[in-house]
């Protein structure tokens, strides 16, 4: 049975009428350590290929791994924040498989004895509905290298050749695995997105990773299966790999539910396999048949001793946990005095932390909220990216707001500056200078523009003199056009009224 295409998907309502979805989320987090998991190579993103490697991370004979203590600390803090138990003695294991970007032909991971287990994360759906996602385990492992397929579509099929970059090989990871998520019904895609969103927020608050999905430091594998309504046995699952945005998590789960339902409706069998997600059209495509644990031939890593964190140290680490994001939001909501509905909207667009960081950079809270949830949210939608992934920092937004407050920019000019920052044209002050965008403050220049506009519109001037002050809007508009939007509208209106003798 071939995979379903976009032309043979089952209508979503029909999927829900006939099947119960079961989800399983596996999230890989690249830890923000300075060096790799088992060697001293740096982890800087974007370095020249194969310049951050050594005999250990490329698996040369005789090289021996040494555990990164900071990575263990980060893994424990993640486990504690996810309400997990911390195992007093956990083991590393070798996960054996061949893949070109895995230089040793095995990955050092954890299997039977993960460092953290039996936890949960409470998430909130867009309408405020709470949902508890149970965590099965959080275990440590090393990342693989990266393949670059040249020619064709960028995938291995159809490529003329492939290049391998081992800079990422050995970067420390924590993989967080949920228990099966059941009972979600039609809200399964929402639950998947809400879970990854909440997990990303938590990891960012812990400061253990930069959680940049666009750079691969947070990667989500979404397992989806369907079972007939009322059945108890799970259906065959697929695993959609490396979904790299919050929106895509939701889209991938929904697509896979519709695709699997179409296969089952037509009498076919869902194949247990990995699948690739295409950002361009929101579809999934077949990858490789999915292995089972037995296929990986796990066995204890002979070159590493057990990880045995002291209980007193674990207790000390528990005291370092920051204010949890949802607790912080409740406090911020009280400080801002906004309703539950407004706060929920801010959370749903991913604006809370951005607004907070903008206020911390000196901007008034109301102005920060306005910029992030209006103009910047529109820009994120136009550019088809998440708000947090826009190439502008809260500090830069705060600077733009300050320029408006100081009267150096109007709101429209400020929007031009923000677009310039988003397009990579430089810092706000540089863009203002390069484009000559600063508000015209020379009254003599403004007065000349006002006089010219009044002379060109004598009928409007007469209306203003007769008491129809609203008619001044036409003259103000003409002056704004003449000054390329660089005049202060309020000052222009004052000059217009003064020029026709209206106080």
């Amino acid at each position: 049975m071939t995979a379903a295409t976009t032309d043979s998907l089952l209508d979503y309502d029909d999927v829900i009428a006939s099947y119960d979805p079961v989800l399983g989320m596996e999230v890989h987090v690249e830890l923000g350590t300075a060096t790799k998991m088992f060697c001293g190579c740096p982890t800087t993103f974007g370095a020249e290929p194969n310049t951050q490697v050594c005999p250990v991370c490329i698996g040369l004979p005789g090289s021996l791994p040494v555990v990164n203590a900071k990575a263990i600390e980060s893994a424990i803090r993640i486990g504690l924040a996810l309400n997990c138990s911390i195992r007093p003695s956990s083991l590393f294991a070798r996960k054996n498989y061949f893949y070109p970007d895995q230089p040793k032909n095995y990955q050092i991971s954890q299997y039977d004895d993960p460092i953290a287990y039996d936890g949960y994360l409470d998430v909130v759906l867009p309408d405020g509905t709470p949902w508890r996602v149970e965590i099965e385990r959080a275990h440590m492992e090393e990342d693989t290298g990266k393949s670059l397929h040249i020619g064709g579509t960028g995938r291995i099929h159809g490529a003329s050749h492939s290049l391998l970059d081992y800079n990422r090989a050995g970067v420390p990871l924590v993989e967080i695995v949920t228990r099966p998520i059941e009972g979600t019904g039609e809200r399964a895609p929402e639950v998947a997105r809400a879970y990854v969103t909440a997990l990303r927020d938590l990891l960012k608050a812990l400061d253990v990773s930069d959680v940049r999905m666009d750079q691969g430091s947070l990667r989500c594998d979404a397992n989806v299966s369907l079972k007939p309504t009322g059945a108890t046995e799970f259906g065959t699952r697929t695993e959609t790999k490396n979904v790299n945005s919050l929106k895509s998590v939701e889209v991938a789960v929904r697509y896979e539910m519709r695709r699997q339902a179409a296969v089952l409706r037509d009498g076919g069998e869902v194949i247990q396999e990995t699948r690739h997600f295409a950002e361009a059209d929101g579809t999934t495509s077949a990858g490789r048949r999915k292995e089972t644990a037995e296929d990986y031939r796990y066995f204890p890593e002979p070159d590493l001793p057990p990880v045995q964190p002291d209980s007193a140290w674990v207790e000390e680490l528990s005291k370092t946990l920051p204010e949890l994001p949802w607790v912080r939001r409740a406090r911020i909501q009280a400080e801002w005095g906004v309703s539950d509905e407004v706060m929920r909207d801010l959370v749903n667009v991913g604006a809370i932390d951005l607004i907070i960081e903008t206020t911390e950079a000196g901007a008034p809270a109301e102005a920060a909220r306005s910029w992030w949830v209006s103009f910047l949210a529109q820009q994120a939608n136009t550019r088809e990216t998440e708000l947090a992934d826009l190439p502008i920092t809260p500090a830069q937004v705060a600077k733009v707001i300050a320029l408006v407050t100081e009267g150096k920019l109007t709101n429209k000019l400020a929007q031009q500056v923000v677009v310039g920052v988003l397009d990579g044209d430089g810092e706000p002050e540089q863009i203002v200078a390069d484009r000559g965008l600063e508000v015209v403050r020379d009254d003599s220049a403004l007065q000349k523009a006002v006089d010219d506009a009044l002379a060109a519109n004598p009928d409007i001037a007469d209306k203003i003199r007769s008491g129809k002050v609203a008619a001044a809007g036409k003259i103000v508009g003409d002056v704004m056009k003449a000054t390329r939007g660089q005049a202060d509208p309020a000052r222009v209106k004052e000059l217009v009224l003064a020029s026709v003798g209206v106080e």
Side-chain angles (χ1 to χ4, degrees):
M1 182 73 186
T2 59
T5 68
T6 52
D7 295 325
S8 60
L9 301 179
L10 196 62
D11 183 81
Y12 193 72
D13 289 339
D14 293 336
V15 176
I16 299 305
S18 301
Y19 300 99
D20 291 328
V22 179
L23 306 179
M25 310 301 291
E26 302 173 15
V27 174
H28 294 79
V29 186
E30 275 192 1
L31 300 179
T33 56
T35 57
K36 293 184 180 181
M37 188 72 203
F38 301 113
C39 67
C41 290
T43 58
T44 307
F45 179 81
E48 286 295 313
N50 297 310
T51 58
Q52 298 181 164
V53 296
C54 72
V56 174
C57 57
I58 60 175
L60 295 185
S63 59
L64 294 174
V66 177
V67 174
N68 185 325
K70 184 65 176 179
I72 292 176
E73 176 184 315
S74 296
I76 292 173
R77 294 180 73 237
I78 290 171
L80 292 170
L82 290 172
N83 304 289
C84 289
S85 298
I86 304 301
R87 197 175 299 276
S89 181
S90 62
L91 294 173
F92 283 103
R94 290 189 181 183
K95 180 180 182 182
N96 297 275
Y97 64 95
F98 171 76
Y99 208 68
D101 57 15
Q102 177 56 272
K104 299 191 292 286
N105 289 339
Y106 65 84
Q107 179 188 34
I108 300 178
S109 182
Q110 292 188 310
Y111 179 47
D112 289 326
D113 300 309
I115 193 166
Y117 62 98
D118 288 349
Y120 63 88
L121 180 62
D122 289 327
V123 305
V124 179
L125 303 189
D127 65 353
T129 302
W131 199 281
R132 173 163 292 187
V133 176
E134 295 186 349
I135 307 296
E136 179 180 291
R137 56 192 283 141
H139 64 263
M140 297 179 290
E141 60 186 22
E142 59 180 339
D143 209 344
T144 62
K146 187 174 182 179
S147 300
L148 180 63
H149 305 299
I150 308 301
T153 62
R155 296 194 180 280
I156 192 169
H157 299 294
S160 60
H161 61 286
S162 297
L163 302 176
L164 296 173
D165 177 10
Y166 291 119
N167 281 350
R168 197 176 67 182
V171 168
L173 293 177
V174 168
E175 181 177 357
I176 301 164
V177 183
T178 70
R179 289 199 170 90
I181 305 171
E182 301 181 70
T184 56
E186 65 180 354
R187 310 200 72 175
E190 287 181 80
V191 171
R193 178 172 181 167
Y195 167 71
V196 179
T197 301
L199 184 57
R200 187 183 72 166
D201 290 347
L202 178 61
L203 295 166
K204 185 176 182 181
L206 290 170
D207 195 27
V208 294
S209 171
D210 63 10
V211 293
R212 288 286 300 272
M213 296 186 79
D214 60 317
Q215 293 183 359
S217 53
L218 184 70
R219 307 195 292 273
C220 176
D221 299 341
N223 292 268
V224 178
S225 68
L226 298 177
K227 60 181 180 179
T229 302
T232 57
E233 186 176 347
F234 291 171
T236 301
R237 67 182 173 90
T238 62
E239 180 181 4
T240 302
K241 301 287 287 185
N242 297 333
V243 186
N244 63 6
S245 78
L246 298 176
K247 179 180 178 181
S248 294
V249 170
E250 184 172 358
V251 171
V253 169
R254 179 180 291 268
Y255 179 88
E256 194 58 17
M257 288 171 60
R258 296 181 63 198
R259 185 196 70 83
Q260 290 186 22
V263 171
L264 296 172
R265 175 200 60 189
D266 294 339
E269 294 183 2
V270 175
I271 298 171
Q272 183 169 319
E273 61 186 356
T274 62
R275 296 187 65 83
H276 301 294
F277 179 72
E279 294 280 348
D281 59 8
T283 63
T284 69
S285 59
R288 56 182 170 82
R289 292 295 180 98
K290 180 62 179 172
E291 296 90 347
T292 63
E294 289 76 13
D295 295 320
Y296 291 124
R297 296 183 295 111
Y298 284 100
F299 63 86
E301 168 56 63
D303 294 329
L304 289 170
V307 177
Q308 297 176 322
D310 181 75
S311 59
W313 181 50
V314 173
E315 179 61 28
E316 285 300 311
L317 290 179
S318 70
K319 297 176 184 177
T320 70
L321 299 183
E323 184 180 30
L324 297 178
W326 34 95
V327 176
R328 184 189 192 199
R329 287 169 190 157
R331 174 176 59 79
I332 292 296
Q333 180 179 356
E335 291 177 2
W336 288 351
V338 298
S339 66
D340 290 345
E341 183 179 2
V342 169
M343 196 66 177
R344 192 158 57 240
D345 289 342
L346 296 176
V347 171
N348 289 342
V349 298
I352 294 295
D353 288 339
L354 296 168
I355 295 169
I356 293 172
E357 290 173 28
T358 304
T359 60
E360 289 173 349
E366 185 174 350
R369 287 201 302 273
S370 176
W371 273 96
W372 282 109
V373 302
S374 56
F375 186 71
L376 284 163
Q378 292 169 8
Q379 288 294 309
N381 184 58
T382 300
R383 296 165 188 258
E384 297 183 341
T385 188
E386 300 291 338
L387 194 61
D389 293 334
L390 283 173
I392 188 169
T393 67
Q396 290 171 322
V397 175
K399 183 58 182 177
V400 172
I401 293 172
L403 291 172
V404 173
T405 303
E406 294 165 8
K408 295 180 179 179
L409 292 177
T410 63
N411 279 326
K412 286 191 175 181
L413 291 173
Q415 290 177 1
Q416 294 181 45
V417 174
V418 168
V419 170
V421 175
L422 294 173
D423 289 342
D425 294 339
E427 291 296 314
E429 301 94 327
Q430 177 188 342
I431 293 170
V432 171
D434 290 348
R435 300 184 185 181
L437 295 178
E438 188 167 341
V439 167
V440 176
R441 307 179 71 85
D442 181 358
D443 271 5
S444 62
L446 290 180
Q447 186 64 61
K448 183 181 185 308
V450 168
D451 292 343
D452 289 345
L454 288 170
N457 297 276
D459 55 330
I460 301 296
D462 290 339
K463 285 183 180 180
I464 300 171
R465 290 190 187 95
S466 67
K468 296 180 179 179
V469 176
K474 164 69 167 120
I475 304 300
V476 172
D478 287 351
V479 172
M480 295 304 292
K481 287 181 182 178
T483 59
R484 296 185 303 154
Q486 290 176 250
D488 178 356
R491 180 55 182 158
V492 172
K493 185 175 181 180
E494 290 175 359
L495 292 175
V496 170
L497 297 180
S499 297
V500 297
V502 175
E503 295 184 359

